[in-house]
Amino acid sequence: MKKLNAFQVAINEVVMESVKLNDELKSLQEQKLDLINQINVEIKNEALGNASDNSDLKVSELRNKIGPIEDRISELNVKLYALEQHKPDRLAKSRDEAHKETEEFVSKQSSQLQQKLDEVKSLRGLYIQKLLEAEEIKTQTNNVVGEFKGLSRNHVDSSKENMNGLRLPEVDAMKGNSQGNHAPILPMEDEIRRVFSEKKVPFWYEEWLLSGEIVNENEVNDRKNKREKAGAANGK
């Protein structure tokens, strides 16, 4: 972002110029106040009868010093006012160039963002496809098991012992989150919201990057500790 950086540099130059003028102005105002205080001391001493022989001359010299300081203070105030008034015009060119660059950047980022969201959206269809395939497996299995049970019951006996091992595992993770938030098959709403809005990933994400597995929090911590110990041992 060269133009944006240049815009910041231009602003810094104006700010530094303003700081320099204000520092000088403050210093001159302090000098003027100090001279006024010295004059007041001389005048007070004179009123009390404690004036020195050259008191009038000293007061005159002090007042003569104030004049150039006041002139410079007025000059600085004019410069500061002009700087503030012309700042928008002075920065307009670099601002416009930075705006154009930023606009192009936003446009490019918008395309990339839309591409990522389109990829996520395509997974929505993939979820349906895979769930249909899983449902077909269930249907085929249940049909075969049902046929076996019917044949066994009708032609041999109805003993339940012959039915052992003929049940598919319950997909509890499709029904809720009783096993912890590593269990659900589909992305959970709060996971989606926190990743996209807050850039916070689920606790199992880093382990998934390493192993491709979504496991519970205890398992995540156990594997992490084992890797750290192995790393420490290898570093010895």
Side-chain angles (χ1 to χ4, degrees):
M1 303 297 291
K2 293 182 180 179
K3 299 299 183 182
L4 183 60
N5 292 336
F7 184 32
Q8 181 64 65
V9 169
I11 292 174
N12 290 343
E13 289 176 352
V14 173
V15 171
M16 292 305 297
E17 188 175 340
S18 176
V19 169
K20 183 178 179 181
L21 292 173
N22 276 299
D23 285 347
E24 184 181 356
L25 179 63
K26 181 180 178 181
S27 176
L28 291 172
Q29 289 171 335
E30 291 173 349
Q31 291 178 43
K32 177 183 175 181
L33 181 61
D34 180 61
L35 291 171
I36 291 174
N37 289 335
Q38 292 183 53
I39 291 172
N40 289 335
V41 169
E42 291 296 327
I43 293 174
K44 182 178 180 180
N45 288 336
E46 186 176 353
L48 295 174
N50 298 325
S52 59
D53 294 337
N54 60 347
S55 177
D56 291 341
L57 177 61
K58 188 173 182 180
V59 169
S60 177
E61 289 176 346
L62 291 170
R63 284 175 174 165
N64 288 337
K65 290 180 179 180
I66 290 177
I69 292 177
E70 289 180 330
D71 291 340
R72 180 57 180 167
I73 288 174
S74 297
E75 182 181 344
L76 289 173
N77 283 325
V78 171
K79 287 186 175 181
L80 283 167
Y81 178 80
L83 180 65
E84 189 63 28
Q85 291 298 308
H86 294 112
K87 182 170 68 172
D89 293 335
R90 180 173 172 179
L91 297 175
K93 181 179 179 181
S94 57
R95 187 275 313 277
D96 291 345
E97 290 176 346
H99 175 265
K100 182 179 179 181
E101 181 185 56
T102 304
E103 190 175 36
E104 292 173 351
F105 175 76
V106 171
S107 177
K108 179 181 177 181
Q109 293 295 99
S110 296
S111 297
Q112 292 183 8
L113 173 62
Q114 189 59 53
Q115 180 182 350
K116 294 300 178 184
L117 293 177
D118 287 344
E119 291 174 1
V120 172
K121 192 172 183 179
S122 69
L123 293 177
R124 185 177 174 184
L126 186 60
Y127 286 139
I128 300 299
Q129 178 185 346
K130 295 303 179 182
L131 289 171
L132 285 173
E133 292 173 358
E135 183 62 30
E136 180 61 24
I137 292 173
K138 287 174 58 180
T139 300
Q140 291 176 357
T141 305
N142 289 336
N143 289 340
V144 170
V145 171
E147 182 179 0
F148 169 78
K149 287 182 178 180
L151 292 173
S152 178
R153 182 168 50 249
N154 294 331
H155 300 284
V156 183
D157 58 48
S158 58
S159 173
K160 292 184 178 180
E161 294 181 1
N162 296 323
M163 308 304 169
N164 293 337
L166 301 181
R167 181 184 295 275
L168 287 172
E170 287 292 330
V171 190
D172 294 332
M174 292 288 289
K175 299 178 180 179
N177 195 26
S178 59
Q179 300 179 46
N181 63 3
H182 69 287
I185 293 174
L186 298 177
M188 296 173 60
E189 183 177 355
D190 69 315
E191 291 178 345
I192 296 172
R193 175 184 56 77
R194 295 186 69 189
V195 168
F196 193 69
S197 301
E198 305 172 25
K199 205 173 182 180
K200 293 181 179 179
V201 299
F203 69 83
W204 47 259
Y205 180 71
E206 291 186 7
E207 176 60 34
W208 175 81
L209 289 175
L210 294 171
S211 67
E213 294 180 275
I214 297 178
V215 296
N216 63 47
E217 193 165 6
N218 289 335
E219 182 67 17
V220 168
N221 293 331
D222 185 54
R223 294 184 184 188
K224 181 179 179 181
N225 291 334
K226 287 180 179 178
R227 283 193 294 269
E228 289 177 350
K229 290 180 180 179
N234 292 333
K236 291 182 180 180

